[in-house]
Amino acid sequence: MDARGAVARINLEAVRHNLRVAKQLAPGARAIAVVKANAYGHGDLTVAAALKDEAELFAVARFEEAQKLRAGGIRQPILLLEGFFNVAQLEYAARHDFHICIHQFAQLEALERTPLARPVTVWVKIDSGMHRVGFAPEQADEVFARLARVAAVLQPVNAMTHFARADEPEQRAVTEAQIARFQQVTKGRVKATALCNSAGVIAFPEAHADYIRPGIMLYGITPFGDQQGSDIGLRPAMDFTTTLIAVREHKAGEPVGYAGSWVSPRDTRIGVIAVGYGDGYPRMAPPGTPVLVNGRRVPLAGRVSMDMATIDLGPDATDKLGDEVLLWGQGLAAEEVARHVGTIAYELVTRMTARPRLEYIGE
Ligand SMILES: *Cc1c(COP(=O)(O)O)cnc(C)c1O
């Protein structure tokens, strides 16, 4: 007998393939591969190293994420999507070839009063309609004019914006308005522009511009709620797996697990699998959420606990202790699991905990 806990097998060849898909969709554009949040749970250093020949830039959300990539030997420029938040970060960014996004006047003022050893590459974030961060289109003139006078800034600057609803096919007009607003204030004023997240890359070719910023699609997951990555030729990069650690005979009418919230309608075999919310498998996954066991879909039965979950293998099951169970990945899309859980696949892969081992293939 042998069984082990949860393992996320990451296929780096799939990640490379997915970036190539993005670049084929946007043939004229260069790629800023988004590897924030530990490359959406896939391991940022390893993923970035695997893309070193294909991505022109990397992007992260946090300063520490960029530092980690640089310290780990990644050489491309690294775009800080929310920029810098103190002078030490600004100086470090300039020294280490981080590109900085600036989205508010506090950052512009810091640039104006901080002399830098080397000029820094700046991306001005325009709020074209997301209304989260960014300069309003009416402020763009002033921002570009002030930046043009800053010696510490590489001239001319770049500009970017972010779409709020590019993943909603019936809301095309919203994104089209964002594109128009952005182009209006940046045309002829900047060196390069970047608008597209994965949904933009896939659905808005007119906005591919100079750089694309694909994130989720690199990991084989589509941003569109009713599809899965394989529909557009993406390959899932993560197989999140565990094993059966017990197979039990179970009587009709008996409950399983905490709160007895699931009661079996029949005599059956219950499989106990070594995964729980302590690994990042969502506690909110309801009974009926599928897992893949020996090539067939098997439903969760009972509540997900910290270290274990239970599945209804069926009365005739021949599955054995130690058999592998796929929680999502090749053959069972994270998008489908997410729909059962009532969330998005972004959240599933990103909120895995440190407990599952990450294993790599295709290095
Ligand atoms: C996260 C992020 C992206 C990538 O988005 P996906 O939907 O994962 O492709 C692109 N741009 C910005 C500004 C982001 O924050």
Side-chain angles (χ1 to χ4, degrees):
M1 56 174 276
D2 188 23
R4 58 177 200 173
V7 172
R9 256 192 325 264
I10 311 297
N11 183 338
L12 297 168
E13 192 43 53
V15 178
R16 280 189 290 267
H17 164 84
N18 295 330
L19 179 54
R20 286 195 292 268
V21 170
K23 291 182 110 175
Q24 278 157 14
L25 286 166
R30 279 167 284 180
I32 307 175
V34 181
V35 294
K36 62 190 178 188
N38 199 26
Y40 295 51
H42 294 65
D44 49 8
L45 257 184
T46 316
V47 166
L51 294 178
K52 69 178 180 354
D53 297 327
E54 343 241 336
E56 278 83 7
L57 265 82
F58 291 104
V60 295
R62 303 277 186 263
F63 183 76
E64 291 75 14
E65 294 175 328
Q67 276 184 309
K68 179 182 170 196
L69 292 179
R70 201 46 100 232
I74 300 301
R75 293 175 181 251
Q76 275 95 334
I78 301 167
L79 170 61
L80 289 166
L81 290 167
E82 281 104 54
F84 64 97
F85 292 93
N86 57 52
V87 166
Q89 287 181 354
L90 174 56
E91 288 170 343
Y92 192 102
R95 269 201 312 278
H96 290 88
D97 197 19
F98 297 172
H99 290 195
I100 53 174
C101 168
I102 71 164
H103 53 85
Q104 57 191 340
F105 282 104
Q107 291 168 321
L108 174 56
E109 286 153 16
L111 274 170
E112 287 173 326
R113 53 169 195 262
T114 311
L116 294 174
R118 268 209 277 173
V120 68
T121 302
V122 169
W123 292 76
V124 177
K125 177 88 165 251
I126 303 292
D127 175 12
S128 61
M130 174 96 168
H131 301 325
R132 189 176 58 181
V133 293
F135 294 100
E138 310 80 71
Q139 298 169 329
D141 270 348
E142 177 191 344
V143 172
F144 291 135
R146 284 171 61 177
L147 282 170
R149 295 194 291 268
V150 180
V153 167
L154 205 66
Q155 305 291 345
V157 297
N158 306 305
M160 59 186 271
T161 195
H162 194 49
F163 296 143
R165 310 190 69 167
D167 57 331
E168 298 174 77
E170 61 291 349
Q171 298 292 336
R172 289 195 70 84
V174 174
T175 302
E176 282 158 5
Q178 283 199 263
I179 296 168
R181 242 173 261 139
F182 177 76
Q183 286 175 341
Q184 203 183 354
V185 297
T186 57
K187 213 172 183 85
R189 319 276 319 255
V190 297
K191 179 163 179 230
T193 58
L195 300 85
C196 288
N197 55 2
S198 297
V201 170
I202 297 161
F204 291 90
E206 68 271 34
H208 285 160
D210 302 300
Y211 288 87
I212 52 172
R213 300 190 308 272
I216 197 72
M217 70 185 296
L218 301 179
Y219 310 103
I221 294 169
T222 167
F224 301 104
D226 55 349
Q227 293 182 8
Q228 56 189 55
S230 55
D231 297 340
I232 55 161
L234 300 173
R235 306 219 304 249
M238 177 191 293
D239 278 347
F240 188 30
T241 68
T242 188
T243 57
L244 277 169
I245 57 168
V247 178
R248 298 163 50 88
E249 302 295 336
H250 186 84
K251 288 271 172 263
E254 288 292 324
V256 177
Y258 285 119
S261 58
W262 183 86
V263 177
S264 181
R266 57 176 181 177
D267 286 357
T268 190
R269 292 193 152 170
I270 293 291
V272 182
I273 60 178
V275 74
Y277 58 82
D279 301 285
Y281 190 83
R283 180 173 175 279
M284 296 314 288
T289 303
V291 302
L292 209 60
V293 186
N294 293 314
R296 72 185 197 285
R297 272 153 201 257
V298 171
L300 279 187
R303 216 167 250 184
V304 173
S305 50
M306 187 186 293
D307 312 305
M308 291 182 271
T310 39
I311 58 180
D312 183 3
L313 292 167
D316 306 319
T318 56
D319 313 287
K320 304 178 306 301
L321 204 152
D323 283 358
E324 185 169 286
V325 176
L326 182 81
L327 304 162
W328 59 70
Q330 193 91 41
L332 175 61
E335 292 94 321
E336 181 183 340
V337 177
R339 280 193 288 277
H340 281 269
V341 179
T343 185
I344 52 176
Y346 288 75
E347 191 186 11
L348 292 187
V349 292
T350 302
R351 75 165 173 199
M352 299 192 20
T353 67
R355 187 162 66 183
R357 197 151 35 93
L358 295 185
E359 286 180 1
Y360 291 94
I361 55 176
E363 264 168 289

